[in-house]
Structures are given as structure tokens and as C-alpha cells.
Amino acid sequence: MFIAHAPAGYIVSRLLSPVFERAGASYRPFVLLGMLGAIAPDLDLLWFVFIDHKQHDHHSYLTHLPITWLLAMTLSLLWLRRHPAAGALAFSFSLGGFSHMILDTVTGGIRWLAPFSASEYVFFLPTRDFLALWWFYFLFHWTFKLELAITLAALLFWLKPRRVPAS
């Protein structure tokens, strides 16, 4: 997935925002952190390119292991008990990261059972026909239409007025 991570993070965090607003989390930071969390796993691309020199698939890094985001969600829910607003914001960020794992499983191969297994799980394994022009391949692969649909759904959701929870 290339373009759907932030829109998916927006959709998930907007849907959950009424629940967490009751805990004291402000809407805008909650949604923004959900979107940032949804793109955060790909920050490992900086390490991949500049430090690792593309020696290992970036989906093998800690930021692309679901257990990282499950642990972050668990810790943020525990934090929520003592510091409701901050815990809610941390949960939004970590849930965004977890949504990234789900989307990357569509074509990217994610190690869902790590650290217990190195097996990668992927719904639709892309072929390497266009290895030199990988971006070209993904633009014309059918899953890019799924990304466009997620992005369009987020746009439509953004245009729809939200209901503010009753105090």
C-alpha cells in the first residue's frame, strides 16, 4: 500500500473519536495522531535506504511487526486508566500503526507471528515482473484500486459533518 495508510488511519480514528472524547481526548489531536500512527511504520524506510542500504526488506524491521503495535496499544490502554486524555492519544497512534500492518498484509508480507515465527503472511503476492519499475507495477495492480477506494471513503467521511458527542 502506498497512499491508503493515512486515509485509513483517519477513518479508524474518526470512528473511535467519540468514545475517547468522553475520556478527555480532543478530537483533532486524536485523529491527527491516528493518521500519523498509520504512516509511522514506514519511517523505517529512512533506515532501510540510508543505514541498511536496502540489504533487508523493511517489513522485517521492528516497526513492521504487529506485536510492536499490539504492545503499544496494550500499554496505551493501561496508561488510559491513570491519564485518560494522554492514554487515548497514545492509543490512537498505536491503533494507526496496527492498521498499517493490516493494509500491508494485502500485498506486502507481514510477520504476524513474530518473534515466534519468521513466516510472512500476505493476501495477494505481487509478481516481480516490473522489478525495475516497482512503482509502475503497483499503480496498475488491481490492489491500487482498493487504495483509491479507501482514500475516497476517507475524503467522503471528511466531508460529512461529524456528530459531537453529548457531554
Side-chain angles (χ1 to χ4, degrees):
M1 294 273 158
F2 287 130
I3 64 168
H5 291 303
Y10 171 76
I11 292 169
V12 170
S13 58
R14 177 159 171 186
L15 286 171
L16 286 177
S17 66
V19 173
F20 288 96
E21 280 180 290
R22 286 187 223 111
S26 298
Y27 171 75
R28 286 181 191 254
F30 187 84
V31 172
L32 178 63
L33 283 169
M35 293 172 67
L36 288 174
I39 61 172
D42 278 339
L43 292 176
D44 64 10
L45 287 169
L46 295 171
W47 181 273
F48 173 69
V49 172
F50 296 112
I51 307 297
D52 197 26
H53 304 291
K54 302 179 183 178
Q55 296 299 307
H56 303 93
D57 179 14
H58 80 109
H59 283 189
S60 68
Y61 299 152
L62 186 64
T63 56
H64 270 87
L65 298 181
I67 196 165
T68 300
W69 299 102
L70 287 169
L71 179 61
M73 285 190 299
T74 302
L75 291 174
S76 63
L77 287 174
L78 293 173
W79 193 18
L80 184 71
R81 299 175 88 188
R82 289 193 178 243
H83 304 282
L89 295 175
F91 183 77
S92 181
F93 183 83
S94 55
L95 183 61
F98 189 75
S99 74
H100 187 110
M101 300 301 100
I102 294 168
L103 290 178
D104 272 4
T105 304
V106 174
T107 59
I110 294 295
R111 297 177 181 180
W112 280 94
L113 300 177
F116 310 106
S117 170
S119 298
E120 290 186 350
Y121 297 88
V122 61
F123 293 135
F124 305 101
L125 190 61
T127 61
R128 301 290 181 195
D129 296 340
F130 298 106
L131 192 56
L133 294 173
W134 59 268
W135 57 269
F136 185 82
Y137 173 78
F138 282 104
L139 284 178
F140 293 99
H141 193 268
W142 70 267
T143 55
F144 192 68
K145 291 179 181 85
L146 175 61
E147 291 197 70
L148 292 175
I150 292 169
T151 304
L152 179 61
L155 178 63
L156 293 173
F157 206 30
W158 179 69
L159 292 172
K160 179 182 174 186
R162 76 179 188 98
R163 292 185 208 155
V164 178
S167 316

